[in-house]
Amino acid sequence: MSYKVLIANRGEIALRAMRACKELDIKTVAVYSTADKDLKHLKFADESVCIGPPSPSLSYLNAAAILSAAELTEVDGIYPGYGFLAEDANFAEMCEKSGFKFIGPSSEIIKKMGDKITAKTLAEESGIQIVPGYKGEIPKSEDEVKKIVNKIGYPIMIKATAGGGGRGMRMVKDESALFNSLEITIQEAQSAFGNGTVYLEKFIENPRHVEVQVVGDGKGQAIHLGTRDCSMQRKHQKIIEEAPALDINELALKETLEACVSLCKKIKYEGVGTIEFLYENNEFYFIEMNTRIQVEHPVTEMITGYDLVKAQLRIALGMEIELIQNEIDFKGHAIECRINAEDPITFQPSPGLITKMHTPGGFGIRYDSHIYGGYRVPPYYDSLLSKVITLANTRESAIKRMLSALDEFFIQGIKTNHSLHQDVLRDKTFAENKHTINYLEKEFLPNNYE
Ligand code: ADP
């Protein structure tokens, strides 16, 4: 049987998906905006279709244009990647209604998990620990609101149930800012997401970001592929990720992994997904589930040998997960550095022509990227250029190997955050694995760059 997939994305993830399709003998259709006609994966696709001008809203976010391309090329499935339409329940539903397989969970599950209150409720019902808080309707009476918040304890976080991408949340330190912040968050959520429903959470002051990779077959079977630590972040954007997360309380880890699998079994989750937690004082607190492949998926692939993108495609074709839980062999430690087209100090995007470059390679080094010498980085999209991933027996060796890989790696013509990575990799707090989600912005950058 021949199967044909439209890859509804660009950049490194489009190339990653194309490689997986080839290994499975799946035919591919690439779609691109007029700014992206030189993308690497277009050269390897069986067919390619221009879907519009550079602006994402007119191309990669344009559901009608993508579905027209799918009809024109008579594909069976649509691969969403991450970002753009990957977690858009309406798009998934349009695919379903037009007779295309959306490669991921059903639109119904995407909708449920995209609504943070529903997701928290489902997680809690499966035994996952959630951030303590309040997810009922916010009472009209100010006294009642005060009572609820005092019970949670300041500081709190006001979060929009429909929020995403770091938007739709506000921290409140004390009662003086409470009602004003509530009003603003509700108004903003209403105008940004068309849904003004908010809920309250305890603000977790200095946690690590630890997430669990899951895979479900859509029929009630599910497994986990362990944890990743993505605490090195700036403005909620991950910069360095690793697998597994180290120095985690054993009992809390065991219970959390089991509860994550229970959740996936209960909702008959289909495809790959990530359950994200804040981790502090030996406790996991659920924040959200991402119903798609993540940028940092390679670190999990490296320590398990399990190809997550191929798993997405195979499951969409109705095949089994391939592995049962106790067959998964976690080996070594993997680290990923995200090389972005941006100034390493001001973080201003730096698009433009790559005049010359050299990529790293060698034992235990993986390089995932769509860029090449002579490629012009367009200014319209995410600044991610390359992911450098290293695998070694220990965390310490993986860091050493990354430093050596980065020594070989250069990109000329545009600015990148390459030097920031080198500095972080040599940092003592990072080496000791003592950094939290606040470390880069609050300590490392002020101490080293200001
Ligand atoms: P989004 O869907 O917008 O990414 P998340 O719920 O995943 O929102 O939260 C994004 C980030 O905001 C988290 O990684 C964390 O840094 C911070 N955050 C969210 N909830 C809390 C909380 N209760 N306490 C402290 N930080 C939080």
Side-chain angles (χ1 to χ4, degrees):
M1 184 192 75
S2 96
Y3 199 77
K4 195 169 174 184
V5 166
L6 180 146
I7 300 171
N9 215 302
R10 64 177 303 285
E12 72 86 20
I13 194 64
L15 182 60
R16 171 76 186 87
M18 168 124 338
R19 287 171 174 158
C21 286
K22 283 198 166 193
E23 283 186 40
L24 291 168
D25 295 318
I26 292 173
K27 293 227 170 341
T28 51
V29 176
V31 293
Y32 62 99
S33 77
T34 50
D36 269 347
K37 58 180 182 7
D38 295 325
L39 274 182
K40 205 176 194 177
H41 77 288
L42 301 186
K43 298 185 177 60
F44 308 123
D46 293 300
E47 291 165 71
S48 49
V49 182
C50 181
I51 48 165
S55 165
S57 62
L58 299 172
S59 50
Y60 300 104
L61 287 170
N62 182 347
I66 291 171
L67 289 169
S68 301
E71 257 154 44
L72 188 77
T73 53
E74 299 180 326
V75 298
D76 302 288
I78 298 186
Y79 183 82
Y82 53 69
F84 297 125
L85 296 168
E87 284 178 292
D88 186 323
N90 292 330
F91 177 66
E93 195 179 343
M94 286 163 85
C95 292
E96 288 158 5
K97 289 200 170 141
S98 314
F100 302 115
K101 170 74 189 149
F102 176 85
I103 300 174
S106 66
S107 58
E108 191 197 343
I109 293 290
I110 299 174
K111 201 171 279 164
K112 278 188 180 156
M113 288 302 167
D115 181 90
K116 295 190 172 190
I117 294 179
T118 311
K120 269 187 101 161
T121 307
L122 285 168
E124 198 175 18
E125 285 169 5
S126 300
I128 293 178
Q129 177 161 270
I130 59 171
V131 185
Y134 175 81
K135 43 186 167 60
E137 201 179 320
I138 307 288
K140 294 262 175 305
S141 141
E142 292 203 349
D143 282 341
E144 277 184 50
V145 177
K146 281 185 200 167
K147 243 190 253 165
I148 291 169
V149 177
N150 285 332
K151 203 169 147 213
I152 302 170
Y154 287 97
I156 62 151
M157 199 73 149
I158 306 172
K159 294 173 83 167
T161 194
R167 295 184 314 147
M169 58 178 117
R170 189 166 263 97
M171 195 260 268
V172 182
K173 280 200 185 111
D174 55 48
E175 202 174 287
S176 66
L178 178 61
F179 293 102
N180 192 27
S181 299
L182 253 178
E183 205 183 305
I184 299 174
T185 316
I186 292 170
Q187 275 174 11
E188 279 178 359
Q190 187 61 48
S191 66
F193 315 112
N195 177 356
T197 309
V198 299
Y199 62 102
L200 311 175
E201 263 181 7
K202 173 97 193 134
F203 181 78
I204 312 289
E205 304 216 27
N206 207 15
R208 290 163 62 189
H209 174 114
V210 178
E211 56 187 37
V212 175
Q213 176 71 55
V214 289
V215 185
D217 68 357
K219 300 168 203 147
Q221 276 314 310
I223 55 168
H224 73 77
L225 287 145
T227 54
R228 291 187 286 259
D229 185 319
C230 316
S231 304
M232 199 55 85
Q233 2 181 303
R234 180 179 167 272
K235 294 204 188 298
H236 305 312
Q237 297 293 319
K238 299 163 187 166
I239 293 189
I240 299 180
E241 302 99 343
E242 32 190 318
L246 295 180
D247 310 322
I248 300 285
N249 177 279
E250 254 176 61
L251 182 62
L253 176 65
K254 183 171 174 286
E255 285 175 358
T256 299
L257 291 172
E258 280 170 10
C260 287
V261 172
S262 299
L263 171 64
C264 295
K265 286 184 172 166
K266 181 178 135 113
I267 62 176
K268 294 201 168 62
Y269 189 78
E270 179 182 330
V272 308
T274 298
I275 304 181
E276 295 194 332
F277 296 89
L278 297 176
Y279 178 83
E280 189 179 61
N281 297 332
N282 297 326
E283 305 273 359
F284 282 87
Y285 299 105
F286 170 86
I287 44 172
E288 67 167 342
M289 177 167 188
N290 292 326
T291 52
R292 54 167 167 86
I293 192 85
Q294 307 253 120
V295 177
E296 60 271 25
H297 74 274
V299 287
T300 300
E301 295 181 329
M302 299 305 276
I303 62 160
T304 58
Y306 185 70
D307 186 323
L308 287 161
V309 178
K310 257 162 78 174
Q312 289 184 289
L313 294 162
R314 296 179 70 264
I315 291 165
L317 284 162
M319 297 181 195
E320 314 264 290
I321 297 176
E322 262 184 320
L323 281 175
I324 54 169
Q325 190 68 57
N326 58 18
E327 281 172 354
I328 303 166
D329 199 4
F330 295 95
K331 266 202 189 123
H333 195 87
I335 298 188
E336 172 180 281
C337 287
R338 295 192 193 187
I339 305 297
N340 296 330
E342 65 191 15
D343 185 290
I345 295 168
T346 64
F347 297 97
Q348 286 303 307
S350 174
L353 181 70
I354 296 175
T355 50
K356 208 172 164 189
M357 64 179 288
H358 184 268
T359 57
F363 184 52
I365 293 170
R366 168 172 169 183
Y367 176 75
D368 279 24
S369 175
H370 59 293
I371 63 165
Y372 51 88
Y375 174 70
R376 185 175 287 280
V377 180
Y380 313 102
Y381 314 109
D382 189 271
S383 62
L384 181 65
L385 297 174
S386 308
K387 305 190 300 199
V388 184
I389 304 111
T390 60
L391 173 71
N393 291 334
T394 62
R395 182 172 189 268
E396 199 187 347
S397 322
I399 294 174
K400 277 247 163 83
R401 188 160 278 168
M402 183 64 81
L403 279 165
S404 151
L406 292 184
D407 270 349
E408 284 181 25
F409 186 23
F410 72 80
I411 297 175
Q412 286 172 1
I414 57 170
K415 289 183 188 167
T416 76
N417 62 354
H418 178 273
S419 62
L420 173 70
H421 281 289
Q422 291 178 313
D423 293 342
V424 172
L425 290 165
R426 291 197 181 97
D427 180 68
K428 186 165 173 281
T429 306
F430 178 71
E432 290 171 349
N433 200 30
K434 294 218 168 96
H435 57 291
T436 67
I437 61 169
N438 303 310
Y439 178 69
L440 188 70
E441 267 178 279
K442 298 233 166 85
E443 292 180 55
F444 180 84
L445 294 174
N447 289 340
N448 293 279
Y449 287 70
E450 282 170 18

